[in-house]
Amino acid sequence: MSKPTGKQDAGKLIATYHPRLKAFIRKRIANREDAEDVLQEVFYQLLRAVENPLYPVERVEAWLYRVARNAIVNHGKKKREEQLPVYQDEEIEEEMTGAFSEVLFSDETSPSPETEYLRSLVWTELEHALSELPPEQREIFELTELDAIPVKEIARMTGVGINTLLSRKHYAVLHLRKRMKDLYCDLIDL
């Protein structure tokens, strides 16, 4: 098939290539639902390409398989990001997060001197840990976690890709977890 020119041609292309692309994707993605999502992404990209007369698709079959390969790679990256490593002992991490959140963000009108001291200690340690980070990692962590700005908005404002920002944040979080875990363990040993 040559250049698609409209939605009718796209429908014919989808009918023609659906079984082959589905088999191609299923060989590379074990989960049936994930494979179906990737296939839908490929056909979505086809529809967008058909609707854009400025950039016609010359070799449709090669283009579809290239889009499918890219979608498979992107799917794999997304899955790895969803499975970012956490502490081996998730209970300690949950306790630590809860304890620090309670100390840092408590709405007590008149906190006890112990709470004030712990709050000061945790904020000081957090500032020290943040200062050890490269500026890019510190910035993304502070913008997302302390200023509550969505990553997509930061990407739009800075022109830095979302995946790059998420990677920077990931490394910042790993460093901060280690540093704050040490503080947490020191505090519970007191």
Side-chain angles (χ1 to χ4, degrees):
M1 289 201 165
S2 61
K3 300 177 190 179
T5 57
K7 289 186 180 184
Q8 290 176 337
D9 284 342
K12 288 178 187 176
L13 290 171
I14 290 171
T16 301
Y17 289 105
H18 185 274
R20 288 186 276 176
L21 282 172
K22 185 175 185 176
F24 176 81
I25 293 167
R26 285 286 292 147
K27 286 180 184 176
R28 289 152 180 83
I29 298 178
N31 182 292
R32 185 177 308 271
E33 290 84 18
D34 290 346
E36 195 63 37
D37 288 345
V38 168
L39 182 62
Q40 292 303 315
E41 175 63 24
V42 171
F43 289 136
Y44 171 74
Q45 294 295 330
L46 174 64
L47 289 174
R48 286 185 52 201
V50 167
E51 292 174 355
N52 187 351
L54 296 177
Y55 303 102
V57 175
E58 296 292 328
R59 296 179 40 226
V60 175
E61 185 171 4
W63 183 88
L64 283 169
Y65 280 95
R66 187 177 70 239
V67 170
R69 279 190 297 277
N70 290 343
I72 290 166
V73 168
N74 290 341
H75 171 77
K77 287 179 183 177
K78 183 179 175 185
K79 282 292 185 187
R80 282 190 297 279
E81 287 173 3
E82 290 173 359
Q83 300 170 349
L84 293 176
V86 294
Y87 283 123
Q88 298 277 334
D89 189 355
E90 290 180 15
E91 288 179 16
I92 290 177
E93 183 179 350
E94 286 178 26
E95 283 180 33
M96 181 179 73
T97 302
F100 284 147
S101 293
E102 188 176 316
V103 167
L104 292 173
F105 305 111
S106 170
D107 288 338
E108 294 179 45
T109 53
S110 56
S112 69
E114 293 85 11
T115 302
E116 281 294 323
Y117 172 74
L118 287 175
R119 185 176 290 158
S120 171
L121 186 65
V122 171
W123 276 113
T124 300
E125 187 63 26
L126 180 61
E127 277 299 316
H128 287 301
L130 284 169
S131 71
E132 296 169 354
L133 292 171
E136 302 85 18
Q137 291 177 15
R138 178 183 176 134
E139 179 183 38
I140 185 64
F141 181 84
E142 289 177 341
L143 289 173
T144 57
E145 297 301 319
L146 301 179
D147 298 336
I149 300 174
V151 174
K152 286 183 180 180
E153 179 66 20
I154 298 167
R156 189 185 62 72
M157 291 182 328
T158 63
V160 177
I162 291 176
N163 287 338
T164 301
L165 293 172
L166 289 174
S167 176
R168 290 174 182 173
K169 182 177 177 183
H170 170 69
Y171 288 113
V173 167
L174 289 178
H175 173 76
L176 295 172
R177 279 182 180 164
K178 182 183 182 322
R179 284 293 307 276
M180 300 311 279
K181 181 180 179 186
D182 292 344
L183 174 64
Y184 178 75
C185 291
D186 288 346
L187 290 175
I188 61 173
D189 285 341
L190 292 177

